[in-house]
Amino acid sequence: MHIRSRALSRAPLAPTLLPRLWLALAALIFASLTLAAHAEDRVVRIGYQKYGTLVLLKGRGNLEPKLKALGYRVQWSEFPSGPPLLEALNAGAIDFGSAGETPPIFAQAASDALAYVAHEPAAPQGETILVPKASPIRSVADLRGKKVALNKGSNVHYLLVRALDAAGLSLADITPVYLAPADGRAAFERGAVDAWVIWDPFFAAAEAGGNARVLADGTGLVPNHQFYLSSREFSARNGAALDAVVAAVAEVDAWAKDNTDAAAKELSPSVGIPAPILAAALRRQTYGIRPLDPAVTAEQQRIADTFHGLGLVPKAVDIAGAVRKPGS
């Protein structure tokens, strides 16, 4: 009787325990599937332009294995120039990209999302002010009253400001015509503008066309750094992945420095410019990705202060506060 009473007293417990066990097991399975899904969803979204190290990185496939080992995949998006690329970064549409000196400053003025990750050494000969070969314009001072095409908010915007200032002029003394590179070249070639401020490889292509003359390049005026940028949020949450991207860029950078002609051949299909012309542009480029040091940070701050002083940037921006610390 005693044994039977114990068995009978336990019998009702089974139905109450089973639902709890099933619920616990279901919760465990759900949690595992959720974690797996999140792991599969981890992605580094990279914005690139038709020309530069990032498009070489995309083509050579060096990055994908590095990120796969960390549980990430890569998503690539192409942009025509730095300003729209950084608009996408500010909007959270991409996580990493590169641009010249000026676009990050405009992006900082619009949002505090941006973080400077690294830079390439100065390449002042990679941007220029062009005039037609037969133009009577012989110096920057001769641009007074002339129409000058440029991509607004790009690195050459600062080149034009500095060149005009050195010649005793300002933007008020010319007529800026804000055009994207392709439209700028078309306007330049049909004589709709008197000068065109542009960067490589568009510079090299115009030079090879035979009807362009260099009025001035960045030598002695601007450093012309290339910056690699991310969002502060992505940098804070994905430091290892960001370090892997920088390491992959460094590898491709080192290869391109020693293999200019081969790099030009790889870039030619995406850029739509013959390899020999691209090789000329690549020889004006600098190589060696590195973190921002105080000197480069100060140079970038001078550009920001100049644009703010001209009223082109609506508020002061702090460059040092947006510089990512390596490994963070």
Side-chain angles (χ1 to χ4, degrees):
M1 285 291 295
H2 181 62
I3 295 174
R4 186 182 177 194
S5 66
R6 287 180 61 188
L8 288 172
S9 66
R10 278 204 308 265
L13 294 177
T16 59
L17 282 173
L18 282 172
R20 294 177 185 175
L21 289 171
W22 281 114
L23 285 172
L25 182 60
L28 183 61
I29 292 171
F30 178 77
S32 299
L33 291 173
T34 301
L35 288 172
H38 285 321
E40 290 175 1
D41 287 341
R42 290 199 296 179
V43 60
V44 181
R45 300 165 300 169
I46 298 179
Y48 68 98
Q49 300 176 50
K50 284 182 178 290
Y51 174 77
T53 304
L54 289 183
V55 72
L56 283 173
L57 180 63
K58 178 180 182 291
R60 295 182 68 79
N62 296 41
L63 178 60
E64 280 76 1
K66 293 180 183 294
L67 287 178
K68 186 176 181 180
L70 298 173
Y72 289 81
R73 59 184 176 86
V74 188
Q75 179 179 309
W76 299 91
S77 298
E78 184 183 305
F79 293 86
S81 62
L85 187 151
L86 292 184
E87 285 177 13
L89 187 70
N90 272 352
I94 60 172
D95 306 306
F96 184 85
S98 65
E101 295 159 328
T102 306
I105 291 167
F106 282 84
Q108 276 188 272
S111 168
D112 62 356
L114 178 147
Y116 291 85
V117 177
H119 75 97
E120 304 276 4
Q125 294 181 334
E127 56 182 6
T128 185
I129 302 173
L130 296 176
V131 294
K133 188 165 282 187
S135 172
I137 298 171
R138 294 291 166 183
S139 70
V140 174
D142 294 335
L143 292 176
R144 183 188 295 273
K146 305 298 184 182
K147 292 181 180 179
V148 181
L150 69 150
N151 197 93
K152 187 175 184 179
S154 68
N155 56 334
V156 296
H157 201 152
Y158 184 61
L159 169 61
L160 180 60
V161 168
R162 290 285 294 114
L164 290 172
D165 183 65
L169 303 178
S170 71
L171 288 173
D173 294 309
I174 66 164
T175 302
V177 181
Y178 296 119
L179 297 170
D183 295 329
R185 181 172 182 176
F188 180 76
E189 290 179 344
R190 69 174 182 267
V193 295
D194 302 290
W196 182 31
V197 198
I198 192 59
W199 62 89
D200 272 326
F202 306 105
F203 165 24
E207 195 175 35
N211 190 38
R213 171 166 48 86
V214 174
L215 187 67
D217 63 22
T219 304
L221 294 171
V222 297
N224 188 30
H225 287 114
Q226 185 77 4
F227 289 103
Y228 294 92
L229 307 123
S230 183
S231 70
R232 298 193 193 201
E233 181 180 359
F234 182 85
S235 174
R237 296 184 180 183
N238 303 274
L242 197 53
D243 289 339
V245 174
V246 172
V249 170
E251 288 177 6
V252 173
D253 221 22
W255 174 82
K257 180 180 180 181
D258 296 330
N259 298 274
T260 302
D261 291 337
K265 287 179 181 178
E266 288 194 19
L267 285 169
S268 182
S270 66
V271 183
I273 294 175
I277 296 174
L278 287 179
L282 288 171
R283 282 190 282 273
R284 285 191 284 253
Q285 191 170 317
T286 55
Y287 304 88
I289 184 172
R290 61 196 67 175
L292 276 70
D293 60 23
V296 172
T297 302
E299 286 174 355
Q300 186 71 349
Q301 187 64 57
R302 279 193 290 273
I303 299 173
D305 293 343
T306 297
F307 275 89
H308 182 231
L310 291 170
L312 297 172
V313 172
K315 66 176 184 179
V317 298
D318 174 27
I319 303 300
V323 174
R324 180 199 184 222
K325 305 299 184 290
S328 63

